[in-house]
Amino acid sequence: MADKVRAFIGLGSNLAMPSQQITQARTAIAATNGIQELAFSSLYKSAPMGPQDQPDYVNAVMAIATDLSPLELLKILQRIEHEHGRVRNGERWGPRTLDLDLLLYGDQQIQVPDLTVPHVGIAEREFVLYPLYEIAPDLTVPGKGSLSDLVANCPLRGLQRLTQS
Ligand code: ROI
């Protein structure tokens, strides 16, 4: 539908059966009013970015069509994070049962106190760029350039595809 926006969500987990966390979050997101799933990447295993004394992550990227605003979407993602047991203990870049990031919202660039879109760090994170490229190879990241160039300049750091999408 013409008045819907295509948005991309990054999913990550490294605690409490990460692959299941990601799959359950996918189901919860797709079941939300105002959201339709368009595509879902394979699951990827990635080395932790940040502190290394934590388990490997499972990451994936989901494409949706939505008529929700960016902040409405953010609230829903935070609710799903909480329902799936995420506790914010204040530890910066520590392990987490579920992390849902609004990566992209159409071609918009957004900077408000609670939300930055495109997501901060999108251009340097192999666990975001490669799954995103799998489901949207022709994408341009607003303010950052073509996704194919970003992928070409981002080392894999051992990223492994776990499943077919
Ligand atoms: N590292 C990886 N590999 N995957 C993540 O999803 C992830 N999320 C985070 C930090 C702690 C920055 N590291 C991560 O929030």
Side-chain angles (χ1 to χ4, degrees), residues 14 46-57 91 93-94 157:
N14 73 342
S46 61
M49 173 183 205
Q52 295 297 296
D53 58 341
Q54 57 177 318
D56 284 345
Y57 279 78
E91 185 189 346
W93 284 15
R157 290 206 314 135

Side-chain angles (χ1 to χ4, degrees), residues 46-149:
S46 61
M49 173 183 205
Q52 295 297 296
D53 58 341
Q54 57 177 318
D56 284 345
Y57 279 78
V58 176
N59 286 105
V61 171
M62 181 174 187
I64 61 169
T66 188
D67 42 29
L68 301 173
S69 73
L71 286 174
E72 286 171 336
L73 209 45
L74 179 68
K75 284 218 179 71
I76 283 161
L77 297 179
Q78 288 173 342
R79 177 175 54 74
I80 293 171
E81 283 179 346
H82 284 114
E83 285 172 0
H84 288 256
R86 175 162 179 190
V87 177
R88 287 177 185 267
N89 61 6
E91 185 189 346
R92 181 170 149 83
W93 284 15
R96 61 270 321 276
T97 48
L98 184 63
D99 198 8
L100 301 176
D101 292 328
L102 179 53
L103 300 172
L104 295 167
Y105 185 88
D107 58 8
Q108 293 191 24
Q109 293 181 268
I110 303 165
Q111 256 177 319
V112 294
D114 290 338
L115 182 63
T116 300
V117 175
H119 190 266
V120 180
I122 188 171
E124 295 85 41
R125 296 186 174 186
E126 75 287 354
F127 54 87
V128 173
L129 292 177
Y130 285 84
L132 188 57
Y133 187 71
E134 183 190 333
I135 60 172
D138 297 330
L139 204 67
T140 298
V141 179
K144 313 249 182 213
S146 82
L147 181 56
S148 59
D149 284 351

Side-chain angles (χ1 to χ4, degrees), residues 14-29:
N14 73 342
L15 291 177
M17 306 183 67
S19 295
Q20 272 193 27
Q21 297 290 342
I22 301 295
T23 304
Q24 288 168 2
R26 173 192 187 171
T27 303
I29 294 166

Side-chain angles (χ1 to χ4, degrees), residues 4 29-30 32-39 62-67:
K4 292 202 175 169
I29 294 166
T32 302
N33 280 332
I35 295 180
Q36 288 84 45
E37 178 177 324
L38 296 176
M62 181 174 187
I64 61 169
T66 188
D67 42 29

